[in-house]
């Protein structure tokens, strides 16, 4: 009987140790995932000239993706598609949900390597939308542009790569808009760029692309210097008298 209780005690002890070990490993895995997400979100792309969202420049798009609908949320790296004819990243195709409004977002942080005027440009392709859908640009959580995606008031896209977008969105007709936003930033000042796409039906589809961020150096005019004549000594006064043109400095 004593051996039996000793066996049961040892067996229970082993299970407790295994349980504690599994909890430690699960917690470590959770901490590592949080650290990885935080590192991805705080990664900053420094721009010297122009940032082009291109697969030939960036092997991965580097944008962080999230979506929320029906109390569900998904987050992680953005699953972008590359247009083989342009080598540019296109984000989506994003679709809606029959039961609720679905919000899809991508975001990425940038800075300019000098004090600059910053121009953000992007294009949007969409189909089967009716006016309640939109896409918005946020800078550091502040909304800057919100564009309605109504096919009734947009131009049909018929350029050479129209088939690429029709296939990406499973649409027979594709519509297109372009937007720009300008601002000034200090050298190495970090700014977060976020796009939010809101759709409410599964047959609606949106692709975001042609994202460029241009940093143009701000030219700071030189400070003018005034010279007080009382500090001109006798030698300088004689020089000015002999060479009056020197006062034109």
């Amino acid at each position: 009987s004593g051996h039996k209780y000793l066996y049961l005690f040892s067996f229970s002890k082993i299970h407790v140790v295994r349980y504690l070990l599994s909890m430690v490993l699960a917690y470590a895995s959770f901490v590592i995932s949080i650290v990885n997400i935080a590192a991805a979100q705080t990664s900053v792309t420094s721009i010297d000239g122009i940032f082009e969202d291109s697969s030939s420049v960036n092997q991965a798009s580097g944008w962080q993706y999230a979506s929320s609908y029906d109390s569900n949320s998904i987050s992680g790296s953005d699953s972008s598609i590359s247009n083989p004819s342009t080598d540019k990243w296109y984000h989506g195709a994003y679709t809606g949900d029959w039961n609720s409004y679905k919000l899809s977002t991508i975001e990425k942080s940038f800075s300019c390597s000098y004090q600059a005027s910053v121009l953000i440009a992007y294009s949007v392709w969409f189909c089967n939308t009716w006016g309640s859908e939109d896409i918005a640009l946020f800078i550091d959580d502040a909304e800057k542009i919100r564009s309605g995606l109504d096919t009734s008031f947009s131009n049909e896209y018929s350029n050479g790569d129209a088939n690429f977008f029709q296939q990406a969105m499973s649409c027979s007709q594709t519509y297109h808009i372009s937007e720009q936003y300008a601002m000034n930033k200090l050298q190495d000042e970090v700014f977060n760029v976020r796009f939010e796409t809101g759709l409410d039906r599964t047959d609606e589809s949106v692709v975001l692309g042609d994202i460029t961020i241009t940093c143009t150096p701000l030219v700071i005019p030189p400070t003018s210097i005034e010279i007080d004549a009382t500090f001109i000594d006798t030698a300088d006064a004689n020089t000015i008298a002999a060479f009056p043109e020197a006062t034109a400095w």
Side-chain angles (χ1 to χ4, degrees):
S1 177
H3 290 291
K4 179 179 179 182
Y5 288 122
L6 180 61
Y7 172 78
L8 291 175
F9 174 76
S10 300
F11 183 77
S12 300
K13 186 176 181 180
I14 291 173
H15 273 268
V16 169
V17 172
R18 286 180 177 176
Y19 173 76
L20 292 176
L21 182 59
S22 66
M23 292 295 292
V24 170
L25 292 175
Y27 178 75
S29 176
F30 172 76
V31 171
I32 291 173
S33 64
I34 293 297
V35 170
N36 289 337
I37 293 173
Q41 291 178 342
T42 56
S43 176
V44 177
T45 298
S46 179
I47 303 173
D48 183 2
I50 301 177
F51 166 84
E52 291 186 318
D53 202 20
S54 169
S55 58
S56 61
V57 178
N58 309 299
Q59 294 303 315
S61 73
W63 296 82
Q64 291 298 303
Y65 168 79
S67 68
S68 60
Y69 62 100
D70 276 350
S71 300
N72 296 318
S73 60
I74 303 172
S75 62
S77 298
D78 180 47
S79 56
S80 308
I81 53 177
S82 176
N83 186 342
S85 64
T86 62
D87 287 331
K88 292 182 179 180
W89 285 116
Y90 293 91
H91 307 274
Y94 303 129
T95 58
D97 182 74
W98 280 117
N99 299 319
S100 66
Y101 182 81
K102 182 177 180 180
L103 187 67
S104 299
T105 70
I106 61 169
E107 63 180 314
K108 187 176 174 70
S109 293
F110 301 88
S111 67
C112 298
S113 57
Y114 36 74
Q115 186 174 354
S117 171
V118 182
L119 180 65
I120 300 175
Y122 57 96
S123 292
V124 185
W125 293 262
F126 53 98
C127 67
N128 298 331
T129 55
W130 300 96
S132 62
E133 308 80 9
D134 54 30
I135 184 168
L137 167 68
F138 290 78
I139 305 296
D140 296 328
D141 294 327
E143 182 180 317
K144 300 302 181 181
I145 299 176
R146 181 171 294 272
S147 307
L149 304 178
D150 191 341
T151 57
S152 303
F153 299 99
S154 304
N155 296 321
E156 184 175 355
Y157 188 76
S158 58
N159 289 12
D161 56 353
N163 288 335
F164 168 80
F165 295 103
Q166 291 176 3
Q167 292 176 7
M169 296 188 291
S170 300
C171 298
S172 59
Q173 290 180 308
T174 303
Y175 296 83
H176 171 260
I177 60 171
S178 294
E179 300 284 10
Q180 291 186 343
Y181 178 75
M183 59 186 177
N184 292 339
K185 289 296 177 182
L186 298 174
Q187 180 178 0
D188 298 326
E189 180 182 357
V190 177
F191 55 94
N192 179 266
V193 177
R194 185 173 82 249
F195 295 96
E196 294 189 352
T197 304
L199 303 171
D200 52 19
R201 297 201 320 272
T202 55
D203 61 334
E204 298 168 338
S205 192
V206 173
V207 168
L208 167 67
D210 285 356
I211 301 172
T212 61
I213 302 176
T214 305
C215 293
T216 302
L218 285 175
V219 178
I220 303 176
T223 303
S224 60
I225 301 175
E226 296 183 1
I227 301 176
D228 191 337
T230 59
F231 290 97
I232 302 177
D233 58 21
T234 305
D236 291 332
N238 292 335
T239 301
I240 292 175
F243 302 97
E245 64 274 12
T247 60
W249 293 352

